Amino acid sequence: MSEPGTFGLPVPPPTVNLETQRFWDATREGRLELPRCDDCGDVVWYPREHCGPLGDSSVTWFEASGRGTVYSCTVTRRIGGSWRAATPFVLAYVELEEGPRVLTNIVGCDPETVHIGQAVQAVFDPTPDGPALLRFTPA
Amino acid sequence: MYEHPGRELPDRTLPQIHAEVAAGALADAGLSLDDVDAYYSAGDAPGFGALSMAEYLGLDLTYIDDTETGGSAYLVHVQHAAAAIAAGQVNVALITLAGKPRTGGAGPGGSARFSSAPEASFENQFGMSVPGGYALAAARHMHEFGTTSEQLAEVKVAASTHAQHNPNAFLQDVVTVDEVVSSPMISDPLHRLDCCVITDGGGALVLVSEAVAASLNRHCVPVLGTGTAIKHTSGGRIDLTHTGATRSGPLAFAEAGVTPADIDYVSIYDSFTITVLMTLEDLGFCAKGGGGSFVSDGALQAPNGVLPFNTDGGGLCNNHPANRGGMTKVVEAVRQLRGEAHPAVQVPDCELALAHGTGGSLATRMGSATLVMGRSA
């Protein structure tokens, strides 16, 4: 397996496709770009070229703040494969300031201190191929 | 119906286990492979799914269905088979499940299929495990409703009191709340004993038309109501505190013309203790957020609890073939309605039973399916 990234967690390269190219390109520059529905105004997660709830509506991309709060979290202590060496680590849903709940890791802190409601800020953890993973650290 | 007695099957291939459970269920019904005109399988069936398995089993079919919703798929198959029978398109439907995650062989679904999913790079990159996902749901439930680890442990304790009577159960020892909460933490707040077992095995169901049923020398259990619903991340608006049972349950109850209070026995998919607690709330057996207090004080323990559940020991103790628990939920509900559960856990005068499956993950997307079944037509 490849070497762990900046925060000691695996940094598996994502699969980039035509729909997600814009999202991943922005992460290379440390920016969080997200699609917003042109009809309902909701910000769509995971990134795609149409509104999730409305299905057939178009979207416009914008730069999000990277600010959020922990919606739920768990300290993973037992897991197989390449993640085993990274335990204990925090798996979490972060609710972005712009609305979506994003599956991620909370890094750069003691895992035991992470809690629901905690304010967090996006960090970009580069993968070997260039795109960076969207993780969060306490604000 | 039939449940494979094995929990470790290193000397059998996956298709062989499908064939064994098919033969077992048909023998139980008094039918043979030649009688089957419809076959249902899910992601655990290798190759082309139902097509490959039909060829392997030697089935001559005019109806197949490969609906895949993870571990709940077999309950969805019951719904589809009942509809096809009601429409006069099917006389004898066979549903099989087989898997050997304990001793090797193909896992459910197939990794290539999952790695090409549109959500893959937004979930797989973060160390999402099955227990980790359910732990996210449990942690949020605790945060919003004050649910405790001790309350979750009550679910496992009830399952273990039932499993002691099942000679095939993978885990047959009765455990206490203390033993559950002091077992190793896997992913906070879920301990090892909050998690289901990993076993080989399988099961099969046979559904028949009323005309065929009348010709059989076997107690046939009527399907009175069915409901299926999916729940997913809704473009980033996932709510971790409820399941698809909030929609599949009312559909099944309405079709059956009954309410939760009428149900004598429940088989609830128990991938983890939290799965049971949330499902009971969502099906209306208690208020939302009240699951923790509902399951306390032996409420789920047969035969005298308020709502006896999973009297075979469930996925938490008995088995979880192919990492899919829906099939055995239906099997044990049928045993209860036939009066063929173990005498120590047989619910007296069991007239109405509910089986519920939750496939996928509480943390992302799930297929929920509910069946209400009766003792006699």
Side-chain angles (χ1 to χ4, degrees), chain B residues 20-270:
Chain B
E20 273 188 84
V21 296
L26 288 163
D28 176 67
L31 293 165
S32 75
L33 288 168
D34 291 341
D35 297 311
V36 176
D37 56 5
Y39 176 61
Y40 299 72
S41 71
D44 57 286
F48 226 124
L51 200 47
S52 292
M53 291 311 303
E55 180 177 76
Y56 179 83
L57 294 168
L59 296 172
D60 184 15
L61 304 175
T62 52
Y63 200 108
I64 64 169
D65 183 334
D66 266 313
T67 300
E68 167 66 316
T69 59
S72 60
Y74 319 93
L75 290 88
V76 180
H77 295 164
V78 169
Q79 178 186 41
H80 292 186
I85 289 169
Q89 297 174 324
V90 168
N91 291 306
V92 177
L94 171 67
I95 308 168
T96 67
L97 156 79
K100 35 190 300 176
R102 185 150 201 96
T103 62
S111 58
R113 186 170 164 179
F114 280 108
S115 64
S116 64
E119 69 274 11
S121 287
F122 301 96
E123 294 174 4
N124 299 346
Q125 317 310 95
F126 302 101
M128 173 73 132
S129 63
V130 179
Y134 283 72
L136 288 173
R140 186 70 198 182
H141 199 278
M142 288 179 166
H143 176 78
E144 291 199 21
F145 304 117
T147 308
T148 67
S149 287
E150 286 74 15
Q151 290 171 334
L152 290 178
E154 293 276 6
V155 176
K156 169 72 175 187
V157 169
S160 76
T161 62
H162 302 154
Q164 68 178 318
H165 304 294
N166 181 353
N168 294 326
F170 188 71
L171 302 175
Q172 296 177 22
D173 292 339
V174 176
V175 300
T176 65
V177 167
D178 279 349
E179 286 172 318
V180 177
V181 300
S182 60
S183 64
M185 192 68 87
I186 303 297
S187 200
D188 302 43
L190 298 180
H191 305 79
R192 174 175 288 161
L193 295 186
D194 286 301
C195 307
C196 66
V197 298
I198 295 176
T199 62
D200 299 344
L205 303 170
V206 175
L207 276 85
V208 301
S209 65
E210 287 184 24
V212 172
S215 72
L216 299 177
N217 243 339
R218 189 66 169 114
H219 180 168
C220 294
V221 165
V223 176
L224 303 177
T226 65
T228 295
I230 63 163
K231 173 178 178 269
H232 52 61
T233 62
S234 301
R237 269 68 182 171
I238 189 167
D239 173 358
L240 288 176
T241 63
H242 78 272
T243 73
T246 56
R247 293 168 65 208
S248 68
L251 289 169
F253 285 124
E255 185 183 359
V258 302
T259 70
D262 299 321
I263 302 294
D264 300 308
Y265 164 82
V266 293
S267 283
I268 305 289
Y269 194 178
D270 52 346

Side-chain angles (χ1 to χ4, degrees), chain B residues 318-331:
Chain B
N318 176 23
N319 70 348
H320 195 225
N323 299 326
R324 291 159 173 263
M327 174 66 73
T328 44
K329 297 297 157 292
V330 184
V331 167

